[in-house]
Amino acid sequence: MPVVKDVLLQLLFSLMPFVAYNIYYGKLTTNYSRSFIMVICSLCLLLSMTFASSVESGLIFDVRYVIIFFGMLFGGVETGAILLVEFLIYRLYIGGSGMVDAIMILVFTFPLSVLLSLMYQRSKHKVWIVFIAGISFSFIPLIIIYLTKPDYIMEYFLFNILAIPVTNSLGIWLLVTLFNKSVSDKELYLRYTQNEKAEAVNHVAASLAHEVRNPLTTVLGFLQLIKSGTFSQEKTERFLDISMDEIRRTEQILSEYLAISKPHLPFQQRIELTTETKSVVELMTSYANMSNVTLSADYPESPVYISGSPAELKQLLVNFIKNAIEACKDVDNGMVNITVHEETDQVTVEIKDNGVGMTPEQLSRLGSIYYSTKMNGTGLGLTFSYQAIQAMNGSVSVRSSPRSGTVFLITLPHADQHL
């Protein structure tokens, strides 16, 4: 029973690099370094020699060969040399009748470790290299000790033919196999993280382009109208004012993306919905005209108040109306109508078009991130809009069928009069 305990204890020491790696590098975004291998192997070697197995005073057995070979595999020959020096110093300090035998064994095992570690790095059959190392480090010590102390081998025959080979063979196989598996998993995770970061950058770029395109399209439409020279000075100035507002909105969008990593509290204030909707309809009219689509709107006579961010409200209305206009581009007599309804405790904005419509499958995925019904769309516009409506404690419902148009119904609660 003491032999089994000694073997299990030495196996535990041999697995310490694997355990320490998973604890230390588990949540880091880097893989192991040579300095880590050197430090952890030095500690394991020290512990295994301090609590070594022994059945006769002066003769100790531990996992020194396992640790030195492992240090060479993953830390290089320099790490192996440092571990060799550490072993020699500590073994001389421990002393005993087995000190000379230990140094003789290392004369054979250390060069073999260097050779096998170099072969391991170049070979495709790494399992066989580990197997050869385990067998060699098990039987070289037994052969040398038998040549110098045959009576000791025969007296403790069971310990020598079971404990030492099991400790070295099983220890090196478990340590190298498990550590390799952890390192491979970590590399896969790091590659996945890098790919995810690159994909996130692409998505942010696509989102930014989508959000900026809306106001730029509006500005382009008004500039074309101004260039035609068919409008009065008053109308032209109005077009210029709207264009400048859209440029300012573009600047605000860019500022929000630059500050995207900084946490911020949502800005909420009391908004007059009819005024904001009229403003959006007016600026989207030029885009509708360019697309040969008729844009109309109906509003209640009295003011309608909601709470939220004016910029986000304007952006989400632009997104919905722009999508509705684009859905009508390829139909005859394309029409988009916006209607604001006021009810007892809520307000609804209905955006109705007679465009191409959507299938049930498209409807089920609508609003999901990066899903779009358009060939070159990102889906980010509606994703943002759904999130903005949810932030205002509102909801969105949609009715649609192919070639029968689409109706979006945005429901928002009335603003608190004391907001």
Side-chain angles (χ1 to χ4, degrees):
M1 188 60 116
V3 174
V4 175
K5 290 171 63 176
D6 289 341
V7 169
L8 292 176
L9 182 62
Q10 291 300 314
L11 286 176
L12 176 63
F13 289 139
S14 71
L15 291 177
M16 276 186 63
F18 162 72
V19 176
Y21 171 82
N22 282 280
I23 293 174
Y24 182 74
Y25 285 96
K27 294 184 179 180
L28 297 182
T29 55
T30 56
N31 217 328
Y32 74 92
S33 62
R34 287 193 174 189
S35 58
F36 168 81
I37 297 296
M38 184 181 67
V39 170
I40 194 63
C41 286
S42 298
L43 178 61
C44 292
L45 183 61
L46 186 66
L47 288 172
S48 68
M49 292 177 67
T50 302
F51 302 97
S53 303
S54 178
V55 289
E56 184 175 299
S57 179
L59 288 168
I60 63 172
F61 296 94
D62 46 54
V63 288
R64 68 190 73 162
Y65 314 115
V66 175
I67 298 300
I68 292 174
F69 179 64
F70 171 81
M72 285 187 187
L73 285 185
F74 297 95
V77 178
E78 298 85 354
T79 301
I82 293 172
L83 294 173
L84 173 64
V85 172
E86 178 188 358
F87 164 75
L88 290 174
I89 294 173
Y90 196 43
R91 190 65 186 88
L92 289 172
Y93 170 76
I94 293 173
S97 60
M99 182 179 65
V100 175
D101 297 314
I103 295 174
M104 288 177 59
I105 293 169
L106 215 59
V107 169
F108 291 95
T109 57
F110 188 79
L112 181 61
S113 296
V114 175
L115 177 63
L116 290 176
S117 66
L118 295 175
M119 291 174 61
Y120 183 89
Q121 304 300 334
R122 300 171 184 172
S123 176
K124 295 181 179 179
H125 306 288
K126 299 183 186 297
V127 175
W128 286 106
I129 305 296
V130 174
F131 175 76
I132 293 170
I135 295 298
S136 302
F137 300 149
S138 297
F139 289 100
I140 288 176
L142 289 176
I143 293 171
I144 292 177
I145 294 174
Y146 180 76
L147 293 175
T148 58
K149 295 180 175 61
D151 294 338
Y152 166 79
I153 292 291
M154 299 309 297
E155 184 177 355
Y156 303 104
F157 183 76
L158 190 62
F159 173 82
N160 287 299
I161 67 169
L162 290 179
I164 297 174
V166 167
T167 302
N168 289 321
S169 298
L170 187 59
I172 200 166
W173 179 77
L174 283 174
L175 177 57
V176 174
T177 302
L178 293 175
F179 192 83
N180 259 328
K181 179 67 168 60
S182 294
V183 169
S184 298
D185 290 346
K186 187 69 174 182
E187 288 175 351
L188 286 174
Y189 168 75
L190 292 176
R191 282 200 294 269
Y192 170 77
T193 302
Q194 291 171 351
N195 292 336
E196 193 176 50
K197 287 180 179 177
E199 187 178 357
V201 170
N202 291 334
H203 286 161
V204 169
S207 173
L208 180 59
H210 178 89
E211 300 296 345
V212 170
R213 187 181 292 118
N214 288 339
L216 291 183
T217 301
T218 303
V219 171
L220 177 61
F222 279 115
L223 289 178
Q224 288 175 339
L225 292 175
I226 294 170
K227 185 179 179 181
S228 67
T230 58
F231 295 92
S232 64
Q233 180 67 25
E234 183 180 353
K235 275 280 188 181
T236 301
E237 289 180 358
R238 177 58 179 160
F239 292 162
L240 287 172
D241 289 340
I242 295 174
S243 298
M244 291 175 67
D245 287 340
E246 289 303 291
I247 291 173
R248 293 190 191 97
R249 188 160 69 92
T250 303
E251 183 181 7
Q252 181 182 353
I253 291 170
L254 293 172
S255 298
E256 289 174 354
Y257 272 88
L258 289 174
I260 195 168
S261 62
K262 299 177 182 178
H264 63 281
L265 295 174
F267 176 68
Q268 299 281 325
Q269 70 178 59
R270 197 158 174 258
I271 306 170
E272 208 288 286
L273 179 61
T274 301
T275 301
E276 294 294 334
T277 308
K278 283 181 179 179
S279 175
V280 172
V281 170
E282 185 175 1
L283 69 88
M284 292 303 296
T285 298
S286 62
Y287 184 65
N289 292 336
M290 290 170 58
S291 305
N292 295 319
V293 174
T294 301
L295 181 61
S296 60
D298 298 300
Y299 311 102
E301 294 182 359
S302 58
V304 178
Y305 292 96
I306 62 170
S307 62
S309 165
E312 290 187 354
L313 175 64
K314 191 172 185 180
Q315 185 64 52
L316 73 87
L317 288 175
V318 167
N319 289 336
F320 278 111
I321 296 172
K322 183 173 182 288
N323 286 343
I325 293 171
E326 290 174 350
C328 299
K329 278 184 177 180
D330 299 323
V331 302
D332 296 330
N333 300 318
M335 292 183 294
V336 175
N337 180 256
I338 296 90
T339 307
V340 178
H341 301 278
E342 183 177 19
E343 300 175 13
T344 305
D345 57 352
Q346 64 185 21
V347 182
T348 59
V349 181
E350 182 186 81
I351 303 171
K352 181 178 181 180
D353 68 69
N354 63 343
V356 293
M358 290 178 283
T359 64
E361 192 273 337
Q362 290 173 322
L363 284 173
S364 66
R365 298 183 61 188
L366 205 61
S368 301
I369 190 165
Y370 308 126
Y371 174 75
S372 175
T373 59
K374 295 176 283 189
M375 291 294 294
N376 58 350
T378 65
L380 291 164
L382 279 186
T383 301
F384 162 81
S385 301
Y386 274 53
Q387 291 175 345
I389 293 167
Q390 186 177 10
M392 290 188 285
N393 298 317
S395 62
V396 184
S397 62
V398 56
R399 303 191 307 272
S400 184
S401 59
R403 296 178 299 278
S404 298
T406 301
V407 178
F408 280 96
L409 197 63
I410 304 169
T411 304
L412 300 168
H414 269 298
D416 185 347
Q417 297 295 322
H418 302 288
L419 187 66

